[in-house]
Amino acid sequence: MIPEVAVSNRDKAYALLEADANKILKLIKVQMDNLTMPQCPLYEEVLDTQMFGLSREIDFAVRLNLVSEEDGKALLENLERQLNVLHEAAQKS
């Protein structure tokens, strides 16, 4: 049986990673709405930097056994899907 503290830490770790993913999505949405278009090098730089940072956070949580590799991968894939939807919507505008 997994101790309650371990489960609680896992839940907290996943919630923090999910919150960071949501912050990235909001940041990119604001950037697309107000500042730059997806073709802009600044947009690409911000997106690449944020995604790299999140992937490192997820790797760290996986190595600490706080998040499963599958859950971490799913979190990144979900964020990428949402960002693709935003990108496609911006292209149509």
Side-chain angles (χ1 to χ4, degrees):
M1 182 172 191
I2 299 172
E4 188 174 321
V5 172
V7 172
S8 176
N9 285 339
R10 288 181 180 166
D11 290 343
K12 286 178 187 176
Y14 189 82
L16 288 171
L17 292 170
E18 195 170 41
D20 285 349
N22 287 331
K23 285 179 193 173
I24 292 170
L25 186 62
K26 287 178 186 175
L27 172 69
I28 296 302
K29 182 167 178 16
V30 166
Q31 187 174 350
M32 290 176 79
D33 288 348
N34 300 306
L35 303 173
T36 58
M37 294 306 296
Q39 302 85 351
C40 176
L42 177 61
Y43 166 86
E44 290 294 332
E45 183 74 23
V46 169
L47 181 57
D48 289 347
T49 301
Q50 294 295 319
M51 292 299 287
F52 178 76
L54 181 62
S55 71
R56 300 308 304 148
E57 286 181 53
I58 290 171
D59 288 346
F60 185 69
V62 167
R63 289 189 350 237
L64 289 174
N65 203 26
L66 293 172
V67 174
S68 72
E69 193 170 339
E70 296 80 25
D71 286 345
K73 185 176 179 180
L75 187 63
L76 274 178
E77 288 173 353
N78 183 45
L79 177 57
E80 287 173 355
R81 264 193 308 279
Q82 291 180 62
L83 290 169
N84 284 335
V85 168
L86 281 178
H87 182 77
E88 288 174 15
Q91 296 290 3
K92 292 178 183 177
S93 298

